[in-house]
Amino acid sequence: MASKALFLLAFLSFSAVSLRHALADNEQDPGLVMNFYKDTCPQAEDIIKEQVKLLYKRHKNTAFSWLRNIFHDCAVQSCDASLLLDSTRRTLSEKETDRSFGLRNFRYLDTIKEAVERECPGVVSCADILVLSARDGIVSLGGPHIPLKTGRRDGRKSRADVVEQYLPDHNESISVVLERFSAMGVDTPGLVALLGAHSVGRTHCVKLVHRLYPEVDPALNPDHVEHMLYKCPDAIPDPKAVQYVRNDRGTPMVLDNNYYRNILDNKGLLIVDHQLATDKRTKPYVKKMAKSQAYFFKEFAKAITKLSENNPLTGTKGEIRKQCNVANKHH
């Protein structure tokens, strides 16, 4: 009997110690939470929002960049701002990879970081700035306000060597695209909604001439082909030249469900846009989003939230970079 009592006592004290450790770990690492900076930098989210608005007034295309950043950073293993790191002597930057073609405006992300650093030095991560600037950029483009959690920390290494394993190319089959996103927890309507980001911005001729030359892709709407040929007159465009077609000629600066109507009308610029409107797995959602902007926004918000919470570094993992384009120096 005594030994049973002793065992019970030992078990209880062990459980109490384990619980204490678990609680202590939890305090150190609450994971992602709403308003993570409320005590350490209460102005952080307002400063980011203000900066996004100011930058958008001056350079409208910054909002497209913020939106693309969340996709290019968070879809590659972790939402850890690895995208923003410059190349070093030893490693290539993700920004320099083929998948990142056309990404720009990184210097304005530094502008936002500097504004936040003036208020609270060394507190707010570049990963959170990247995610929150995307959230506020979506609003600038007329999209929904999406409440997103914070508390991400910054990675220390570029993931350029694995970018292609995670980010689908615009010419991949829809099966590959669905598979990649489903691995992140984004379901089929979520993927259809995320591609609705093609309702804003532009596509460089480099990415679409294979649908125009040597023969025009018969799947393209002939009325649209004329405009595409006018915008992309060369079979081999100069990648440095500013030759592009707007993704949505009707409302090019507004994130709306016009994209779905366009692709159902065979006016999608990329192969993936065309497949989205024709594949039996995705077409029902395309039709539903073409009819209902509210449904598009609801699924878009869910998918952006999923993407923003993909495998973040939290607690004591990673670091808070002083500058977004370089990892901190460790002496």
Side-chain angles (χ1 to χ4, degrees), residues 52-67:
V52 166
K53 274 188 192 157
L54 285 171
L55 287 162
Y56 181 70
K57 264 191 190 144
R58 272 184 245 145
H59 318 275
K60 291 281 187 276
N61 63 20
T62 52
F64 312 145
S65 301
W66 309 148
L67 182 49

Side-chain angles (χ1 to χ4, degrees), residues 204-210 213 231-241 243:
H204 199 291
C205 292
V206 164
K207 297 290 183 192
L208 51 88
V209 282
H210 60 285
Y213 305 96
K231 287 292 198 173
C232 301
D234 307 310
I236 302 171
D238 173 1
K240 292 197 168 58
Q243 288 183 306

